[in-house]
């Protein structure tokens, strides 16, 4: 029976943090009380039970705890959540189960408890190996916290660890970013994410954007391109714009987003994608805890589905598989997009190879601009 079920990813949003980072526009709440966190877990368990009714014919092969800082939850709270998940969802025995971790908030004993509960993958937020850069970002941890946490995770038995890095951040140089890459790859995590800083409205960085000491676009581009080459030399293959892994260690959960597979989001502000419908929970934590687990839902048109597929697939190194595109939508990709893509192919930003259409190295860095030009969600194809 298991092989007849469609696969499903589960995302659980844990919105608590010690303090809000200066660049963060995620739905998160700093300095919350233990009582509020307990009430939130109560609501999350009810949300799990309610949402599972829609997923009886799915088998969950990825589970991802994101935030915020999930590791602010107690072990007992994690136990309650895992109990609710396993009672209500069909969780595959070999499911990838990831927990995001701030290095300041977990130690050896905590990691051992997560392993005992079935967590088999960690995503640790390092961002930078340099304390001045961490301080500028508003991070609560310092480099020594990361090294301790990473060592503790290995001692606890984790053999699938991802490390998050950022480039284009205040006071960073090409030299300091390369040093961060050298330090991280010497630790040999299985996966590395490297994200460029984006100044989002409503953040402290946006309010102080004129005063920020940033590397600038040209240096950011150099950081990114040199990181791609450096990580490849160290055995990390880029499989998505910002994500690199050792062989067979890609993030199975995040691949669901880029392949437009189904997932259910649980928790405040979480989004779900089921049966060609997108739904989302309120960003109001009090409304969520009162039982408003869904604020809105929209059915996706075929035109929007095609545009989404192209937008997401083009984030990956493989790009758009032309056969998969035809099988999903019954349309020829070249007939629809060849003319729009021609200027970028001539400019060597886009390449056709092995039955796919994908970005080149140069194209990846300006992918957002190109995709906004070629995709029109209101156009009827």
């Amino acid at each position: 029976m298991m092989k007849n079920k469609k696969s499903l990813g589960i995302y659980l949003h844990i919105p608590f943090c010690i303090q809000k980072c200066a660049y963060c526009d995620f739905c998160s709440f700093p300095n919350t009380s233990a009582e509020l966190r307990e009430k939130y877990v109560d609501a999350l368990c009810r949300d799990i039970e309610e949402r599972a009714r829609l997923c009886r014919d799915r088998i969950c092969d990825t589970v991802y705890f994101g935030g915020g800082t999930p590791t602010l939850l107690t072990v007992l709270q994690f136990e309650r959540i895992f109990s609710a998940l396993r009672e209500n969802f069909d969780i595959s025995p070999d499911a990838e189960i990831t927990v995001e971790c701030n290095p300041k908030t977990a130690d050896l004993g905590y990691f051992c408890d997560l392993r005992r509960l079935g967590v088999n993958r960690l995503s640790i937020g390092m961002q930078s190996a340099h304390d001045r850069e961490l301080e500028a970002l508003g991070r609560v941890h310092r480099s020594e916290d990361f090294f301790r946490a990473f060592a503790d995770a290995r001692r606890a038995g984790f053999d699938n660890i991802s490390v998050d890095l950022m480039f284009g951040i205040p006071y960073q140089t090409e030299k300091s970013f390369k040093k961060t890459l050298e330090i991280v790859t010497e630790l040999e995590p299985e996966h590395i994410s490297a994200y460029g800083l984006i100044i989002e409205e409503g953040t402290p960085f946006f309010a102080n954007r004129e005063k920020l000491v940033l590397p600038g676009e040209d240096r950011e581009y150099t950081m990114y391109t040199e990181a791609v080459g450096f990580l490849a030399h160290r055995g990390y293959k880029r499989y998505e714009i910002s994500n690199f892994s050792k062989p067979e260690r890609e993030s199975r959960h995040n691949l669901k987003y880029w392949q437009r597979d189904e997932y259910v989001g649980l928790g405040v502000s979480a989004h779900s994608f089921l049966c060609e419908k997108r739904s989302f929970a309120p960003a109001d934590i009090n409304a969520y805890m009162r039982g408003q687990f869904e604020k809105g839902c929209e059915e996706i048109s075929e035109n929007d589905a095609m545009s989404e597929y192209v937008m997401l697939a083009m984030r990956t190194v493989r790009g758009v598989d032309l056969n998969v595109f035809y099988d999903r939508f019954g349309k020829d990709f070249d007939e629809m997009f060849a003319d729009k893509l021609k200027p970028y192919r001539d400019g060597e930003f886009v390449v056709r190879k092995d039955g796919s259409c994908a970005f080149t190295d140069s194209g990846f860095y300006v992918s957002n601009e190109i995709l906004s030009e070629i995709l029109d969600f209101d156009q009827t194809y």
Side-chain angles (χ1 to χ4, degrees), residues 299-329:
E299 192 157 353
I300 301 169
S301 69
E302 184 181 35
N303 291 334
D304 284 354
M306 283 189 290
S307 292
E308 283 183 5
Y309 177 79
V310 173
M311 177 180 65
L312 294 168
M314 289 292 284
R315 288 186 60 92
T316 67
V317 170
R318 169 66 177 170
V320 174
D321 185 308
L322 305 190
N323 290 326
V324 171
F325 184 88
Y326 185 83
D327 290 342
R328 287 198 179 193
F329 304 110

mmCIF file of all heavy atoms in Angstrom, residues 299-329:
data_model
loop_
_atom_site.group_PDB
_atom_site.id
_atom_site.type_symbol
_atom_site.label_atom_id
_atom_site.label_comp_id
_atom_site.label_asym_id
_atom_site.label_seq_id
_atom_site.Cartn_x
_atom_site.Cartn_y
_atom_site.Cartn_z
ATOM 1 N N GLU A 299 -7.080 28.398 -5.568
ATOM 2 C CA GLU A 299 -6.854 27.352 -6.567
ATOM 3 C C GLU A 299 -5.985 27.940 -7.668
ATOM 4 O O GLU A 299 -6.215 29.070 -8.123
ATOM 5 C CB GLU A 299 -8.181 26.852 -7.130
ATOM 6 C CG GLU A 299 -8.038 25.587 -7.937
ATOM 7 C CD GLU A 299 -9.341 24.795 -8.024
ATOM 8 O OE1 GLU A 299 -10.315 25.172 -7.344
ATOM 9 O OE2 GLU A 299 -9.363 23.806 -8.773
ATOM 10 N N ILE A 300 -5.004 27.190 -8.110
ATOM 11 C CA ILE A 300 -4.018 27.704 -9.052
ATOM 12 C C ILE A 300 -4.447 27.369 -10.473
ATOM 13 O O ILE A 300 -4.737 26.212 -10.792
ATOM 14 C CB ILE A 300 -2.632 27.115 -8.754
ATOM 15 C CG1 ILE A 300 -2.225 27.491 -7.329
ATOM 16 C CG2 ILE A 300 -1.601 27.617 -9.753
ATOM 17 C CD1 ILE A 300 -1.015 26.755 -6.833
ATOM 18 N N SER A 301 -4.494 28.380 -11.333
ATOM 19 C CA SER A 301 -4.860 28.172 -12.729
ATOM 20 C C SER A 301 -3.743 27.430 -13.451
ATOM 21 O O SER A 301 -2.599 27.379 -12.988
ATOM 22 C CB SER A 301 -5.113 29.508 -13.417
ATOM 23 O OG SER A 301 -3.892 30.232 -13.546
ATOM 24 N N GLU A 302 -4.064 26.888 -14.612
ATOM 25 C CA GLU A 302 -3.046 26.175 -15.385
ATOM 26 C C GLU A 302 -1.933 27.124 -15.814
ATOM 27 O O GLU A 302 -0.754 26.771 -15.814
ATOM 28 C CB GLU A 302 -3.663 25.506 -16.611
ATOM 29 C CG GLU A 302 -2.646 24.678 -17.395
ATOM 30 C CD GLU A 302 -3.233 24.016 -18.628
ATOM 31 O OE1 GLU A 302 -4.115 24.637 -19.262
ATOM 32 O OE2 GLU A 302 -2.801 22.906 -18.972
ATOM 33 N N ASN A 303 -2.299 28.356 -16.176
ATOM 34 C CA ASN A 303 -1.279 29.327 -16.587
ATOM 35 C C ASN A 303 -0.305 29.606 -15.448
ATOM 36 O O ASN A 303 0.912 29.631 -15.640
ATOM 37 C CB ASN A 303 -1.936 30.635 -17.038
ATOM 38 C CG ASN A 303 -2.694 30.471 -18.331
ATOM 39 O OD1 ASN A 303 -2.381 29.602 -19.132
ATOM 40 N ND2 ASN A 303 -3.702 31.307 -18.525
ATOM 41 N N ASP A 304 -0.854 29.831 -14.263
ATOM 42 C CA ASP A 304 0.001 30.106 -13.111
ATOM 43 C C ASP A 304 0.817 28.876 -12.743
ATOM 44 O O ASP A 304 1.979 28.993 -12.324
ATOM 45 C CB ASP A 304 -0.836 30.560 -11.923
ATOM 46 C CG ASP A 304 -1.305 32.005 -12.058
ATOM 47 O OD1 ASP A 304 -0.879 32.665 -13.023
ATOM 48 O OD2 ASP A 304 -2.080 32.461 -11.213
ATOM 49 N N ALA A 305 0.227 27.694 -12.882
ATOM 50 C CA ALA A 305 0.954 26.463 -12.575
ATOM 51 C C ALA A 305 2.164 26.310 -13.493
ATOM 52 O O ALA A 305 3.258 25.935 -13.042
ATOM 53 C CB ALA A 305 0.033 25.249 -12.710
ATOM 54 N N MET A 306 1.996 26.624 -14.776
ATOM 55 C CA MET A 306 3.112 26.535 -15.713
ATOM 56 C C MET A 306 4.198 27.550 -15.373
ATOM 57 O O MET A 306 5.396 27.229 -15.384
ATOM 58 C CB MET A 306 2.621 26.746 -17.140
ATOM 59 C CG MET A 306 1.913 25.541 -17.730
ATOM 60 S SD MET A 306 1.575 25.716 -19.499
ATOM 61 C CE MET A 306 0.297 26.973 -19.470
ATOM 62 N N SER A 307 3.786 28.771 -15.067
ATOM 63 C CA SER A 307 4.760 29.798 -14.716
ATOM 64 C C SER A 307 5.508 29.431 -13.439
ATOM 65 O O SER A 307 6.719 29.613 -13.342
ATOM 66 C CB SER A 307 4.070 31.148 -14.554
ATOM 67 O OG SER A 307 3.584 31.623 -15.783
ATOM 68 N N GLU A 308 4.774 28.918 -12.445
ATOM 69 C CA GLU A 308 5.413 28.484 -11.200
ATOM 70 C C GLU A 308 6.424 27.384 -11.470
ATOM 71 O O GLU A 308 7.532 27.391 -10.913
ATOM 72 C CB GLU A 308 4.360 27.983 -10.210
ATOM 73 C CG GLU A 308 3.579 29.067 -9.518
ATOM 74 C CD GLU A 308 2.613 28.502 -8.495
ATOM 75 O OE1 GLU A 308 2.632 27.270 -8.265
ATOM 76 O OE2 GLU A 308 1.846 29.280 -7.924
ATOM 77 N N TYR A 309 6.023 26.412 -12.297
ATOM 78 C CA TYR A 309 6.926 25.296 -12.588
ATOM 79 C C TYR A 309 8.227 25.800 -13.213
ATOM 80 O O TYR A 309 9.322 25.394 -12.811
ATOM 81 C CB TYR A 309 6.252 24.288 -13.517
ATOM 82 C CG TYR A 309 7.172 23.153 -13.902
ATOM 83 C CD1 TYR A 309 7.403 22.091 -13.034
ATOM 84 C CD2 TYR A 309 7.841 23.160 -15.125
ATOM 85 C CE1 TYR A 309 8.272 21.064 -13.368
ATOM 86 C CE2 TYR A 309 8.706 22.147 -15.477
ATOM 87 C CZ TYR A 309 8.922 21.096 -14.595
ATOM 88 O OH TYR A 309 9.792 20.088 -14.930
ATOM 89 N N VAL A 310 8.104 26.701 -14.186
ATOM 90 C CA VAL A 310 9.303 27.238 -14.841
ATOM 91 C C VAL A 310 10.147 28.016 -13.833
ATOM 92 O O VAL A 310 11.371 27.843 -13.759
ATOM 93 C CB VAL A 310 8.911 28.135 -16.028
ATOM 94 C CG1 VAL A 310 10.150 28.842 -16.598
ATOM 95 C CG2 VAL A 310 8.237 27.310 -17.117
ATOM 96 N N MET A 311 9.511 28.887 -13.053
ATOM 97 C CA MET A 311 10.233 29.712 -12.086
ATOM 98 C C MET A 311 11.003 28.855 -11.086
ATOM 99 O O MET A 311 12.174 29.116 -10.793
ATOM 100 C CB MET A 311 9.256 30.617 -11.342
ATOM 101 C CG MET A 311 9.890 31.474 -10.256
ATOM 102 S SD MET A 311 8.663 32.500 -9.420
ATOM 103 C CE MET A 311 7.654 31.249 -8.626
ATOM 104 N N LEU A 312 10.366 27.804 -10.581
ATOM 105 C CA LEU A 312 10.996 26.964 -9.564
ATOM 106 C C LEU A 312 12.046 26.048 -10.173
ATOM 107 O O LEU A 312 13.145 25.882 -9.623
ATOM 108 C CB LEU A 312 9.923 26.147 -8.835
ATOM 109 C CG LEU A 312 8.945 26.976 -8.000
ATOM 110 C CD1 LEU A 312 7.762 26.130 -7.563
ATOM 111 C CD2 LEU A 312 9.641 27.574 -6.783
ATOM 112 N N ALA A 313 11.734 25.435 -11.311
ATOM 113 C CA ALA A 313 12.685 24.518 -11.935
ATOM 114 C C ALA A 313 13.955 25.244 -12.372
ATOM 115 O O ALA A 313 15.056 24.684 -12.302
ATOM 116 C CB ALA A 313 12.038 23.814 -13.128
ATOM 117 N N MET A 314 13.809 26.488 -12.809
ATOM 118 C CA MET A 314 14.977 27.235 -13.269
ATOM 119 C C MET A 314 15.892 27.626 -12.117
ATOM 120 O O MET A 314 17.023 28.065 -12.342
ATOM 121 C CB MET A 314 14.549 28.473 -14.051
ATOM 122 C CG MET A 314 13.941 28.182 -15.407
ATOM 123 S SD MET A 314 15.109 27.506 -16.621
ATOM 124 C CE MET A 314 16.037 28.972 -17.075
ATOM 125 N N ARG A 315 15.450 27.471 -10.887
ATOM 126 C CA ARG A 315 16.343 27.686 -9.741
ATOM 127 C C ARG A 315 17.363 26.559 -9.613
ATOM 128 O O ARG A 315 18.378 26.725 -8.937
ATOM 129 C CB ARG A 315 15.540 27.778 -8.448
ATOM 130 C CG ARG A 315 14.739 29.037 -8.269
ATOM 131 C CD ARG A 315 14.097 29.073 -6.890
ATOM 132 N NE ARG A 315 15.106 29.037 -5.847
ATOM 133 C CZ ARG A 315 15.656 30.100 -5.273
ATOM 134 N NH1 ARG A 315 15.295 31.311 -5.659
ATOM 135 N NH2 ARG A 315 16.558 29.973 -4.327
ATOM 136 N N THR A 316 17.068 25.412 -10.221
ATOM 137 C CA THR A 316 17.949 24.257 -10.087
ATOM 138 C C THR A 316 18.933 24.184 -11.246
ATOM 139 O O THR A 316 18.702 24.751 -12.320
ATOM 140 C CB THR A 316 17.136 22.956 -10.041
ATOM 141 O OG1 THR A 316 16.495 22.739 -11.309
ATOM 142 C CG2 THR A 316 16.078 23.025 -8.942
ATOM 143 N N VAL A 317 20.019 23.479 -11.018
ATOM 144 C CA VAL A 317 21.028 23.325 -12.062
ATOM 145 C C VAL A 317 20.464 22.574 -13.259
ATOM 146 O O VAL A 317 20.787 22.874 -14.410
ATOM 147 C CB VAL A 317 22.274 22.606 -11.493
ATOM 148 C CG1 VAL A 317 23.223 22.214 -12.604
ATOM 149 C CG2 VAL A 317 22.990 23.509 -10.499
ATOM 150 N N ARG A 318 19.616 21.599 -13.007
ATOM 151 C CA ARG A 318 18.983 20.848 -14.095
ATOM 152 C C ARG A 318 18.102 21.742 -14.942
ATOM 153 O O ARG A 318 18.030 21.601 -16.163
ATOM 154 C CB ARG A 318 18.160 19.692 -13.509
ATOM 155 C CG ARG A 318 17.236 18.974 -14.485
ATOM 156 C CD ARG A 318 17.989 18.234 -15.558
ATOM 157 N NE ARG A 318 17.065 17.511 -16.439
ATOM 158 C CZ ARG A 318 17.421 16.930 -17.568
ATOM 159 N NH1 ARG A 318 18.678 16.981 -17.965
ATOM 160 N NH2 ARG A 318 16.538 16.285 -18.305
ATOM 161 N N GLY A 319 17.407 22.695 -14.329
ATOM 162 C CA GLY A 319 16.522 23.568 -15.062
ATOM 163 C C GLY A 319 15.195 22.899 -15.388
ATOM 164 O O GLY A 319 14.765 21.956 -14.724
ATOM 165 N N VAL A 320 14.553 23.374 -16.453
ATOM 166 C CA VAL A 320 13.272 22.820 -16.888
ATOM 167 C C VAL A 320 13.521 21.589 -17.737
ATOM 168 O O VAL A 320 14.189 21.662 -18.777
ATOM 169 C CB VAL A 320 12.460 23.853 -17.697
ATOM 170 C CG1 VAL A 320 11.198 23.219 -18.275
ATOM 171 C CG2 VAL A 320 12.099 25.044 -16.825
ATOM 172 N N ASP A 321 13.001 20.459 -17.297
ATOM 173 C CA ASP A 321 13.031 19.240 -18.107
ATOM 174 C C ASP A 321 11.911 19.349 -19.134
ATOM 175 O O ASP A 321 10.734 19.388 -18.776
ATOM 176 C CB ASP A 321 12.847 18.014 -17.208
ATOM 177 C CG ASP A 321 12.995 16.705 -17.961
ATOM 178 O OD1 ASP A 321 12.313 16.548 -19.000
ATOM 179 O OD2 ASP A 321 13.761 15.836 -17.510
ATOM 180 N N LEU A 322 12.263 19.383 -20.417
ATOM 181 C CA LEU A 322 11.263 19.649 -21.448
ATOM 182 C C LEU A 322 10.232 18.532 -21.551
ATOM 183 O O LEU A 322 9.048 18.791 -21.829
ATOM 184 C CB LEU A 322 11.959 19.854 -22.796
ATOM 185 C CG LEU A 322 13.051 20.937 -22.828
ATOM 186 C CD1 LEU A 322 13.489 21.208 -24.255
ATOM 187 C CD2 LEU A 322 12.590 22.224 -22.168
ATOM 188 N N ASN A 323 10.639 17.295 -21.309
ATOM 189 C CA ASN A 323 9.691 16.184 -21.347
ATOM 190 C C ASN A 323 8.723 16.248 -20.165
ATOM 191 O O ASN A 323 7.523 15.994 -20.319
ATOM 192 C CB ASN A 323 10.429 14.847 -21.349
ATOM 193 C CG ASN A 323 11.162 14.596 -22.653
ATOM 194 O OD1 ASN A 323 10.707 14.998 -23.730
ATOM 195 N ND2 ASN A 323 12.314 13.943 -22.574
ATOM 196 N N VAL A 324 9.255 16.556 -18.986
ATOM 197 C CA VAL A 324 8.394 16.679 -17.801
ATOM 198 C C VAL A 324 7.397 17.816 -18.004
ATOM 199 O O VAL A 324 6.210 17.693 -17.658
ATOM 200 C CB VAL A 324 9.236 16.907 -16.533
ATOM 201 C CG1 VAL A 324 8.344 17.252 -15.344
ATOM 202 C CG2 VAL A 324 10.076 15.670 -16.221
ATOM 203 N N PHE A 325 7.859 18.922 -18.574
ATOM 204 C CA PHE A 325 6.971 20.057 -18.828
ATOM 205 C C PHE A 325 5.820 19.634 -19.739
ATOM 206 O O PHE A 325 4.650 19.946 -19.480
ATOM 207 C CB PHE A 325 7.753 21.205 -19.458
ATOM 208 C CG PHE A 325 6.947 22.457 -19.667
ATOM 209 C CD1 PHE A 325 6.835 23.409 -18.670
ATOM 210 C CD2 PHE A 325 6.282 22.670 -20.873
ATOM 211 C CE1 PHE A 325 6.072 24.558 -18.857
ATOM 212 C CE2 PHE A 325 5.514 23.813 -21.077
ATOM 213 C CZ PHE A 325 5.412 24.759 -20.061
ATOM 214 N N TYR A 326 6.134 18.899 -20.802
ATOM 215 C CA TYR A 326 5.082 18.448 -21.725
ATOM 216 C C TYR A 326 4.131 17.467 -21.051
ATOM 217 O O TYR A 326 2.911 17.543 -21.216
ATOM 218 C CB TYR A 326 5.704 17.806 -22.967
ATOM 219 C CG TYR A 326 4.665 17.430 -24.009
ATOM 220 C CD1 TYR A 326 4.183 18.372 -24.911
ATOM 221 C CD2 TYR A 326 4.152 16.135 -24.060
ATOM 222 C CE1 TYR A 326 3.215 18.043 -25.851
ATOM 223 C CE2 TYR A 326 3.174 15.797 -24.994
ATOM 224 C CZ TYR A 326 2.715 16.753 -25.881
ATOM 225 O OH TYR A 326 1.744 16.428 -26.798
ATOM 226 N N ASP A 327 4.694 16.538 -20.256
ATOM 227 C CA ASP A 327 3.849 15.557 -19.568
ATOM 228 C C ASP A 327 2.893 16.228 -18.588
ATOM 229 O O ASP A 327 1.744 15.795 -18.432
ATOM 230 C CB ASP A 327 4.722 14.540 -18.819
ATOM 231 C CG ASP A 327 5.467 13.604 -19.760
ATOM 232 O OD1 ASP A 327 5.062 13.511 -20.937
ATOM 233 O OD2 ASP A 327 6.450 12.980 -19.323
ATOM 234 N N ARG A 328 3.366 17.286 -17.912
ATOM 235 C CA ARG A 328 2.531 17.956 -16.914
ATOM 236 C C ARG A 328 1.474 18.851 -17.538
ATOM 237 O O ARG A 328 0.346 18.943 -17.044
ATOM 238 C CB ARG A 328 3.404 18.786 -15.963
ATOM 239 C CG ARG A 328 4.203 17.968 -14.983
ATOM 240 C CD ARG A 328 4.672 18.832 -13.817
ATOM 241 N NE ARG A 328 5.425 18.056 -12.839
ATOM 242 C CZ ARG A 328 5.732 18.501 -11.621
ATOM 243 N NH1 ARG A 328 5.343 19.705 -11.244
ATOM 244 N NH2 ARG A 328 6.419 17.761 -10.787
ATOM 245 N N PHE A 329 1.838 19.545 -18.640
ATOM 246 C CA PHE A 329 0.957 20.596 -19.137
ATOM 247 C C PHE A 329 0.473 20.370 -20.571
ATOM 248 O O PHE A 329 -0.369 21.132 -21.057
ATOM 249 C CB PHE A 329 1.672 21.950 -19.042
ATOM 250 C CG PHE A 329 2.145 22.277 -17.655
ATOM 251 C CD1 PHE A 329 3.505 22.291 -17.360
ATOM 252 C CD2 PHE A 329 1.248 22.544 -16.638
ATOM 253 C CE1 PHE A 329 3.955 22.570 -16.070
ATOM 254 C CE2 PHE A 329 1.681 22.831 -15.358
ATOM 255 C CZ PHE A 329 3.035 22.844 -15.066
#
